[in-house]
Structure formats: C-alpha cells, structure tokens
Amino acid sequence: MQEASFTNLFKTIMWIIAFYYIFKFLARIFLPVLVKKAVEKAGENFQRQQQYSQDSSWQKTRTNTDEIIINTANAKNPRETKKVGDYVDYEEID
C-alpha cells in the first residue's frame, strides 16, 4: 500500500499535465481530418436525400392522374379574428 506524499502528488500532477498536452497535440493533428470526413459524409447524405426526393416527386407527378377535390365548406365561412378594441388615430402635439 502506498502512502500519500508530496513526490507522488507531484508525479500525478505531472502525468495529468503530460496527458493534457499529448491530447491537445493529437487533437490538432486528427481533429481536422475527422471533421472533414464528417462534413463530407453529411454532404453525401444530403445529396442522396435530395436525389431521392426529386426522383420520388417526379414519379408522383407522372403517375398521379387522380382528381383533385377542394373542400369549399370552410371557404364560405371565413375565420373570425378576435377583436381587441377600436383603432384610435392620434396626432402629435407640438
């Protein structure tokens, strides 16, 4: 069993500082590469989704020969807006 001492505390602090700087150094090297790959992959997924949506919408417009029915029951009774009060015009006094 080890005892707590000043030298062991100093060694622990030095290891923590060493790991911090090693991690910082490796992050500067590898982080831009990882971010670049993530952005490229997201761009590819976006293009694939856009292509899929364009293809599916094109197929819907080509094969859709159904009638379009518009419900006009709600158009006859327009929605009432809540009236808060009357509009009062004002003039500036010099």
Side-chain angles (χ1 to χ4, degrees):
M1 184 172 206
Q2 295 182 351
E3 295 180 12
S5 66
F6 180 72
T7 56
N8 286 338
L9 177 66
F10 184 72
K11 285 181 183 179
T12 303
I13 292 173
M14 292 304 292
W15 277 109
I16 291 172
I17 292 171
F19 282 126
Y20 171 75
Y21 281 108
I22 290 171
F23 178 76
K24 192 174 170 182
F25 176 74
L26 293 176
R28 282 188 179 179
I29 294 173
F30 294 114
L31 196 61
V33 174
L34 294 174
V35 169
K36 183 179 178 184
K37 288 192 181 240
V39 168
E40 288 175 355
K41 188 172 182 179
E44 289 173 0
N45 287 340
F46 179 74
Q47 287 178 351
R48 190 177 314 118
Q49 287 175 352
Q50 289 291 73
Q51 186 67 29
Y52 176 75
S53 67
Q54 288 176 355
D55 289 345
S56 64
S57 66
W58 175 254
Q59 289 174 356
K60 285 180 184 177
T61 57
R62 289 182 59 199
T63 59
N64 191 4
T65 58
D66 297 336
E67 293 181 20
I68 297 175
I69 300 171
I70 300 173
N71 187 3
T72 59
N74 290 337
K76 292 178 183 176
N77 298 328
R79 188 177 74 180
E80 293 183 21
T81 58
K82 185 177 180 181
K83 294 187 178 183
V84 178
D86 295 330
Y87 176 75
V88 178
D89 195 16
Y90 69 96
E91 295 179 10
E92 289 187 22
I93 300 175
D94 291 329

